[in-house]
Amino acid sequence: MAFGKNLLSKMATNDGHGENSPYFDGWKAYDSDPFHSIENPQGVIQMGLAENQLCFDLIQEWILKNPKASICSPEGVNDFKDVAIFQDYHGLPEFREAIAKFMAKVRGNIVEFDPDRVVMSGGATGAHETMAFCLANPGDAFLVPTPYYPGFDRDLRWRTGVKLLPVVCESSNNFKITREALEAACQKAEESNINVKGLLITNPSNPLGTILDRDTLQGLVNFINEKNIHLICDEIYAATVFTKPMYVSIAEILEEDKSCNRDLIHLVYSLSKDMGFPGFRIGIIYSYNDKVVSCARKMSSFGLVSTQTQQLIANMLADETFIEKFISESRRRLAARHGVFTRGLMQVRVGNLQSNAGLFFWMDLRRLLKESTVEAEMELWRVIINEVKLNVSPGSSFHCSEPGWFRVCYANMDDETMRIALRRIKKFVLQADEREAAAKKHMWHKNLQLSLSFRRWDETIMKTPRIVTPHMMSPHMIMSPHSPLPSPLVRARN
Amino acid sequence: MQQMLSRKASFNFHGEDSPYFLGWKEYEKNSYHEVHNPSGIIQMGLAENQLSIDLLESWLAKNASVTHFKEDRGGSSLPLSSSLFRELALFQDYHGLPAFKKELAELMEEIRGSKVRFDPNKLVLTAGATAANETLMFCLAEPGEAFLIPTPYYPGFDRDVKWRTEVELVSIHCSSLNHFRLTKHALEEAYQRAQKQKLKVKGVLITNPSNPLGTTMSKDELNHLLDFVISKKIHIVSDEIYSGTVFDSPSFISITQALLNHKKVHAGNDISKRIHIVYSLSKDLGLPGFRVGMIYSENEAIISAATKMSSFGLVSSQTQFLLSNILSEKNFRKLYMKENQKRLKKRHEMMVSGLENAGISCLKSNAGLFCWVDMRHLLRSNTFEAEMELWEKIIFEVKLNISPGSSCHCTEPGWFRICFANMSTETLNVALQRIKTFAVGICEDRINYQQALCSSKKSSFNKWLLHPLSLWRNHQDHESKYR
């Protein structure tokens, strides 16, 4: 007898978990054929997982030098009982203090954080869901600038019944969040009778790897104050800002702008990216709204941080010398990694959105698409997974409005794997270019034999992917969809 | 600001304004300490097991090199890939550490006398039983639907089961007249009541062994329950968080075990897919801080959905690793459980006899970390107001935080849950002494009052005198019934 589906809730049987998205398909391909430098050198290299694995050597060194931080070591076992029985949802006081200090340090000590506003959650995943439960009723909505992290579809919507409405950002202005886009999203919500409760931003951005400048941040604060809606700032990548411009946290804006209604401002944070500890499930909600702190704290019962982990982290973060060294070294290594990849890709004329943060970059493969459609992007992506054997994440899974962008993670592998990954991409692109050039040459010859009707010529050009000329290869520019098509005569000269 | 937040944030659905939690707050303001604050409030409202943690500590001390990330202490620098710490720090697979789930499945089997098998692949790890119960509700019921639950029950369920899920709880009334046992009649009555309120019943939530009663469900109760859910085609969620604390006969019968025996009568139905177990290491192993909970179900759809939902509250990989090591030694596991039960039994006996000395009886129990104590004879009147009055006296004058039955949704005033496993023997003795002084004091006060009345109003003397004496007689009757 088939088990009646209606005996389970809709939530248990719908797709709200979001795992049928291509974002996860790539992971499945990787899981079934994972790269290993010795055992499976032809396997899929995981570049879809935004993890920070660059500084474990520093952490390991600290662990060895500080056995007392672990309740499992002979030096730390005396703390075992007190830690094991402590289940107060306020968390270990030293944990909250250490988190508050760390958050300040990551932001250059320009702002201070109050340990009493630090609330635990089951990773940032749990934090986002809790925020949605606290701020919105089922059917209400949050605005989210695109492209955005696919996990939000699950975290903010699945069990809460809350909606996410996109604020469309475009490559033509480097995916800036404009007032027009915000207003357009609000307008659309109004027309559909949807009640907007807040705006969710990720700064630094996932998947873009960029940070919001001060003016944009201030603009967002003005916007939410005018509309009287909440602002949730996911600052999970705050310590991954590896070069200028300097990072500006929403906390800083709040310090400067005394007219802002503080009750509307909430931060989500985690140690999963900055420290590289996703397994320890350290999620943080930091709200300037007392009622939200109180409610979120009660809800944190559903996802407290293990006290064993709180103890370790409290000790580690309290070691200020170590933490300063860690943050600066992590930034240096991220910058180096980012540089190797982006320069390597430039050599094969693959650009990326200029970025200075995150564990990934936003790669521009629009010129390799057969046509500017999501289907073409998916086709290209399947080739990259199955033939090039790289799991990168297609822009459509991030709700990007323009096909052809891919998020490429680079901090979750060693140097050797990185070199192999880069080689594979370069080889693939070169081969694609050669095929394109051969096709172009064939068309060129064919067209010489035909009557040179201008319209037909134009049609031919429109069907082949756009060619990048040297002057458009500057690393500081991304290709604009509005740039004029180059004349084939220019290319022939090159 | 109210409407700026969600309804869930704005009202008191979290249930923390119940006396259950208020007592805790008072305790926090004035906590007992045998040296620093000997007149402070003793915490007897917290069902924690601190009796056997020394066994875990000594295991750790002997095995620290195993658990402390197995680092190479030779001083050589390890290549990135070989570090255990790194692997754990990165491990966020919601399927959990396979080694850990294997040990948990075996532990659960052992607790049930190896009479049932548990498949580690059907186990979902959650951030404590709190998250396990909430997750199951999200999976089994729509907002507005209901689960039936026998009273009295753990006050935390009002938050865990109802708050964010918007699922309703409908009480199955259990009475002291039959030792709060679950009856066919009570199940049916609750179901009908739910129907009248236009609530669709999706299942029954039981806690076995019971919190706050400290009793294990009998074969008959379990059979009634199974008959009921089979006929209504609904689910059972069996919270078996105290299964390892059964220290006396009758032995624990898990819902799965009951089903195995029941199947002979009712073959060919899919009831096995509608039974879901919740467990945790917070009570049996006394590790509430580590947030280790789990769901076990034979229903693949539930396992699949619950696994995905566990993303909102995974168990720290560091903790999974530590515990999989501790639990991997079968001998230690067995030794721990046996010794733990022995200590619980001793503590239970101390509590019961201490209360007896104070003229107070308890429901006869064989499990849990608490006693279900009968203080009805100390009430001014048979009302919940009188129960609250008594409770306030106990908090503020006697300086004990115990949990009033009303906070557990008990239908009869005068019952209290008193915990005994979260303190030293000395502290328990102090607590019992305070209770004795208080209880004896009340009775003496009543006698003095009667005597005072006597001397002024001779004509009503007989009538009044009978009252406290009959109370005392009743009390003695209670003693023999419930011990």
Side-chain angles (χ1 to χ4, degrees):
Chain A
M1 174 189 155
F3 187 74
K5 246 188 161 182
N6 57 354
L7 271 180
L8 301 186
S9 67
K10 292 194 195 86
M11 203 181 284
T13 48
N14 67 19
D15 281 345
H17 49 74
E19 286 190 21
N20 297 334
S21 134
Y23 183 75
F24 295 102
D25 279 347
W27 287 28
K28 290 168 195 164
Y30 165 77
D31 282 340
S32 57
D33 181 20
F35 170 85
H36 188 278
S37 55
I38 299 162
E39 285 161 31
N40 189 19
Q42 303 309 316
V44 176
I45 297 179
Q46 174 63 289
M47 303 189 87
L49 189 54
E51 266 178 7
N52 186 353
Q53 296 185 23
L54 300 186
C55 291
F56 275 115
D57 55 321
L58 301 177
I59 304 276
Q60 275 150 220
E61 203 187 297
W62 187 93
I63 298 258
L64 286 173
K65 281 199 207 129
N66 295 273
K68 203 175 178 306
S70 164
I71 50 174
C72 317
S73 67
E75 295 85 343
V77 78
N78 287 334
D79 289 336
F80 181 82
K81 179 182 173 180
D82 289 337
V83 167
I85 65 177
F86 186 89
Q87 57 176 327
D88 181 350
Y89 60 24
H90 289 85
L92 290 172
E94 51 270 30
F95 172 74
R96 273 185 292 121
E97 276 156 25
I99 292 284
K101 275 215 177 76
F102 181 73
M103 286 173 72
K105 203 177 278 293
V106 160
R107 290 155 183 75
N109 283 322
I110 298 172
V111 283
E112 271 184 9
F113 289 90
D114 177 0
D116 289 337
R117 292 190 177 283
V118 171
V119 176
M120 293 182 285
S121 59
T125 302
H128 279 295
E129 190 193 45
T130 295
M131 288 311 301
F133 272 126
C134 286
L135 302 180
N137 295 313
D140 289 343
F142 285 103
L143 305 180
V144 201
T146 64
Y148 65 82
Y149 162 57
F152 283 160
D153 288 327
R154 170 198 60 195
D155 301 350
L156 284 130
R157 299 184 327 168
W158 188 18
R159 308 194 305 183
T160 62
V162 167
K163 297 180 175 17
L164 285 182
L165 301 177
V167 176
V168 180
C169 302
E170 293 173 340
S171 63
S172 53
N173 65 348
N174 295 337
F175 298 95
K176 209 173 151 89
I177 309 171
T178 63
R179 183 72 185 216
E180 293 72 37
L182 287 164
E183 291 290 0
C186 274
Q187 178 71 18
K188 220 171 161 188
E190 216 171 302
E191 281 158 16
S192 311
N193 234 352
I194 297 174
N195 187 22
V196 173
K197 288 312 286 282
L199 169 65
L200 165 63
I201 59 170
T202 307
N203 179 32
S205 162
N206 175 11
L208 303 177
T210 52
I211 58 173
L212 295 177
D213 60 76
R214 196 175 288 272
D215 285 341
T216 304
L217 271 169
Q218 184 63 60
L220 295 179
V221 167
N222 296 341
F223 175 77
I224 57 114
N225 270 281
E226 280 163 38
K227 303 283 184 195
N228 200 29
I229 60 176
H230 294 276
L231 180 62
I232 303 174
C233 306
D234 186 339
E235 298 195 347
I236 196 175
Y237 293 100
T240 67
V241 180
F242 52 79
T243 190
K244 288 197 171 61
M246 287 241 326
Y247 179 58
V248 179
S249 159
I250 196 70
E252 224 182 296
I253 302 294
L254 213 56
E255 270 309 295
E256 294 162 359
D257 180 3
K258 299 297 180 194
S259 67
C260 174
N261 180 358
R262 295 167 78 87
D263 279 342
L264 298 175
I265 311 288
H266 323 278
L267 269 156
V268 164
Y269 188 56
S270 162
L271 296 185
S272 298
K273 311 293 179 184
D274 286 351
M275 298 292 292
F277 297 155
F280 294 169
R281 316 313 300 152
I282 304 155
I284 303 289
I285 289 171
Y286 187 95
S287 176
Y288 292 91
N289 181 322
D290 293 344
K291 283 197 166 66
V292 172
V293 169
S294 170
C295 179
R297 187 156 279 140
K298 292 177 175 69
M299 287 190 180
S300 69
S301 296
F302 297 110
L304 294 171
V305 177
S306 166
T307 44
Q308 178 192 14
T309 301
Q310 288 186 48
Q311 171 91 335
L312 175 71
I313 296 301
N315 277 285
M316 194 183 288
L317 300 188
D319 187 341
E320 301 211 23
T321 318
F322 167 71
I323 288 298
E324 271 159 28
K325 174 182 167 194
F326 178 88
I327 293 173
S328 78
E329 183 60 20
S330 173
R331 284 177 176 150
R332 196 191 64 75
R333 294 181 190 186
L334 284 169
R337 208 31 101 77
H338 179 269
V340 165
F341 261 107
T342 51
R343 282 192 299 274
L345 290 176
M346 263 300 146
Q347 289 167 3
V348 290
R349 301 177 302 123
V350 168
N352 61 278
L353 184 67
Q354 188 182 9
S355 61
N356 66 329
L359 309 174
F360 35 74
F361 57 87
W362 193 231
M363 180 168 67
D364 184 0
L365 291 185
R366 288 178 294 171
R367 71 177 179 77
L368 296 184
L369 293 188
K370 285 208 178 111
E371 51 189 18
S372 181
T373 60
V374 174
E375 291 71 30
E377 178 184 283
M378 284 292 108
E379 212 184 293
L380 176 59
W381 176 66
R382 277 189 284 274
V383 168
I384 298 175
I385 295 258
N386 298 318
E387 294 174 23
V388 190
K389 301 286 189 81
L390 298 174
N391 177 30
V392 296
S393 313
S396 50
S397 66
F398 294 88
H399 302 277
C400 186
S401 55
E402 301 165 35
W405 294 90
F406 291 80
R407 189 191 75 173
V408 181
C409 298
Y410 54 70
N412 61 317
M413 60 193 70
D414 57 34
D415 290 333
E416 183 53 38
T417 310
M418 177 194 70
R419 280 190 278 275
I420 296 172
L422 194 50
R423 260 205 302 274
R424 287 186 189 179
I425 303 180
K426 283 163 93 167
K427 184 175 167 192
F428 167 68
V429 173
L430 283 170
Q431 283 173 347
D433 282 347
E434 273 163 28
R435 273 199 303 274
E436 182 212 317
K440 188 86 191 52
K441 200 175 179 184
H442 175 74
M443 288 307 297
W444 176 261
H445 284 303
K446 203 173 157 193
N447 285 325
L448 277 178
Q449 290 156 20
L450 300 167
S451 73
L452 289 170
S453 131
F454 192 71
R455 189 185 295 170
R456 205 184 299 157
W457 182 250
D458 254 336
E459 284 169 0
T460 309
I461 293 293
M462 290 302 280
K463 278 178 193 152
T464 57
R466 272 179 295 125
I467 298 150
V468 180
T469 58
H471 84 266
M472 289 172 81
M473 273 169 56
S474 158
H476 302 293
M477 264 185 65
I478 52 151
M479 278 175 19
S480 162
H482 306 299
S483 62
L485 291 167
S487 155
L489 293 169
V490 173
R491 190 174 181 282
R493 258 209 299 279
N494 288 336
Chain B
M1 183 42 68
Q2 283 272 22
Q3 66 277 27
M4 285 305 291
L5 304 187
S6 66
R7 283 187 293 271
K8 290 183 176 78
S10 309
F11 302 113
N12 294 336
F13 299 130
H14 47 75
E16 281 192 24
D17 296 336
S18 125
Y20 184 76
F21 295 103
L22 287 177
W24 285 28
K25 289 173 190 163
E26 287 308 315
Y27 161 76
E28 265 150 37
K29 286 186 216 160
N30 181 18
S31 312
Y32 172 83
H33 187 279
E34 55 193 13
V35 173
H36 304 305
N37 190 18
S39 59
I41 298 179
I42 298 177
Q43 174 65 288
M44 304 189 89
L46 187 55
E48 259 179 17
N49 182 0
Q50 295 181 23
L51 300 187
S52 308
I53 208 155
D54 59 306
L55 299 176
L56 297 175
E57 285 171 321
S58 50
W59 187 94
L60 274 174
K62 270 189 243 151
N63 295 276
S65 61
V66 167
T67 54
H68 189 47
F69 302 125
K70 283 203 184 101
E71 294 295 306
D72 173 8
R73 307 218 180 227
S76 59
S77 65
L78 295 163
L80 199 62
S81 54
S82 69
S83 152
L84 184 64
F85 176 84
R86 181 176 159 278
E87 280 171 39
L88 286 177
L90 294 173
F91 185 83
Q92 54 176 326
D93 181 356
Y94 57 25
H95 293 98
L97 272 182
F100 184 44
K101 295 212 311 193
K102 173 176 165 290
E103 304 306 340
L104 286 174
E106 282 177 23
L107 176 68
M108 288 173 78
E109 283 172 2
E110 280 158 21
I111 288 174
R112 289 153 184 75
S114 300
K115 294 190 181 122
V116 284
R117 288 263 82 92
F118 286 93
D119 176 356
N121 294 319
K122 295 182 177 157
L123 207 55
V124 179
L125 297 177
T126 61
T130 302
N133 281 308
E134 189 194 44
T135 295
L136 275 173
M137 288 302 132
F138 273 125
C139 290
L140 300 176
E142 307 296 344
E145 292 182 339
F147 261 73
L148 305 182
I149 184 167
T151 63
Y153 63 82
Y154 162 57
F157 281 151
D158 289 326
R159 171 197 59 197
D160 303 350
V161 168
K162 295 175 30 167
W163 189 15
R164 307 191 308 178
T165 62
E166 299 185 43
V167 167
E168 295 291 342
L169 280 178
V170 174
S171 299
I172 304 168
H173 298 310
C174 299
S175 158
S176 62
L177 292 174
N178 72 337
H179 319 298
F180 298 96
R181 295 275 169 210
L182 187 65
T183 64
K184 262 195 286 198
H185 170 79
L187 280 162
E188 199 53 57
E189 190 274 325
Y191 190 85
Q192 296 308 327
R193 205 174 346 110
Q195 303 266 335
K196 282 207 186 83
Q197 294 170 48
K198 302 228 185 325
L199 292 170
K200 181 166 183 202
V201 175
K202 293 309 282 283
V204 182
L205 169 59
I206 57 167
T207 307
N208 180 28
S210 164
N211 175 9
L213 303 176
T215 52
T216 50
M217 283 177 78
S218 67
K219 209 161 86 175
D220 284 342
E221 285 177 283
L222 288 163
N223 280 330
H224 292 323
L225 178 62
L226 285 166
D227 285 334
F228 179 75
V229 302
I230 288 170
S231 77
K232 307 288 187 209
K233 291 190 170 44
I234 58 179
H235 297 270
I236 294 178
V237 172
S238 179
D239 187 337
E240 300 188 350
I241 195 176
Y242 291 99
S243 47
T245 67
V246 180
F247 50 77
D248 209 344
S249 59
S251 52
F252 174 58
I253 308 173
S254 158
I255 188 72
T256 343
Q257 214 179 318
L259 180 66
L260 274 176
N261 297 328
H262 198 82
K263 253 182 176 170
K264 290 175 191 155
V265 180
H266 290 273
N269 60 59
D270 63 352
I271 177 63
S272 62
K273 301 278 188 193
R274 295 204 303 274
I275 291 183
H276 322 284
I277 296 175
V278 165
Y279 186 54
S280 160
L281 299 183
S282 299
K283 309 296 179 184
D284 291 349
L285 261 64
L287 306 171
F290 290 174
R291 314 313 302 147
V292 179
M294 60 213 81
I295 293 169
Y296 187 89
S297 177
E298 294 290 338
N299 186 324
E300 294 86 13
I302 292 289
I303 293 300
S304 170
T307 303
K308 294 176 175 71
M309 286 190 186
S310 68
S311 295
F312 298 111
L314 295 172
V315 178
S316 169
S317 54
Q318 185 190 16
T319 300
Q320 292 188 50
F321 176 73
L322 168 64
L323 293 173
S324 70
N325 272 286
I326 296 180
L327 294 176
S328 65
E329 269 191 41
K330 203 167 177 172
N331 288 334
F332 173 73
R333 225 162 50 205
K334 289 198 153 127
L335 182 133
Y336 176 90
M337 295 307 273
K338 204 165 162 202
E339 182 62 26
N340 182 43
Q341 282 155 15
K342 194 168 133 199
R343 295 181 189 187
L344 284 169
K345 182 172 185 184
K346 196 168 169 200
R347 202 43 95 79
H348 175 263
E349 280 166 0
M350 186 180 156
M351 174 81 149
V352 169
S353 56
L355 288 172
E356 236 176 60
N357 276 341
I360 297 172
S361 59
C362 309
L363 183 70
K364 188 159 159 41
S365 63
N366 61 328
L369 310 173
F370 33 74
C371 285
W372 188 235
V373 179
D374 184 358
M375 295 207 204
R376 289 177 292 175
H377 61 294
L378 298 176
L379 294 185
R380 184 181 43 81
S381 60
N382 184 27
T383 60
F384 286 112
E385 288 73 28
E387 180 183 281
M388 279 297 107
E389 242 178 67
L390 177 59
W391 176 69
E392 277 169 19
K393 268 206 178 79
I394 295 174
I395 295 262
F396 294 111
E397 293 174 21
V398 189
K399 306 280 184 73
L400 299 176
N401 176 32
I402 64 177
S403 313
S406 51
S407 68
C408 302
H409 300 272
C410 186
T411 47
E412 302 165 36
W415 293 88
F416 289 80
R417 188 192 77 170
I418 304 186
C419 300
F420 55 68
N422 63 311
M423 64 197 71
S424 66
T425 322
E426 293 74 26
T427 308
L428 182 57
N429 273 324
V430 170
L432 288 169
Q433 189 53 48
R434 288 187 190 178
I435 295 178
K436 182 173 177 180
T437 312
F438 172 69
V440 166
I442 289 190
C443 291
E444 280 177 358
D445 280 349
R446 286 202 183 137
I447 290 172
N448 290 340
Y449 176 71
Q450 301 323 319
Q451 283 174 346
L453 267 185
C454 236
S455 60
S456 60
K457 285 186 179 182
K458 225 176 176 178
S459 54
S460 54
F461 177 77
N462 286 327
K463 185 176 155 196
W464 279 107
L465 185 57
L466 280 169
H467 193 54
L469 282 181
S470 67
L471 262 183
W472 191 255
R473 206 173 292 130
N474 278 343
H475 161 72
Q476 285 175 326
D477 285 346
H478 281 315
E479 255 193 54
S480 56
K481 227 186 251 178
Y482 294 119
R483 271 293 282 113

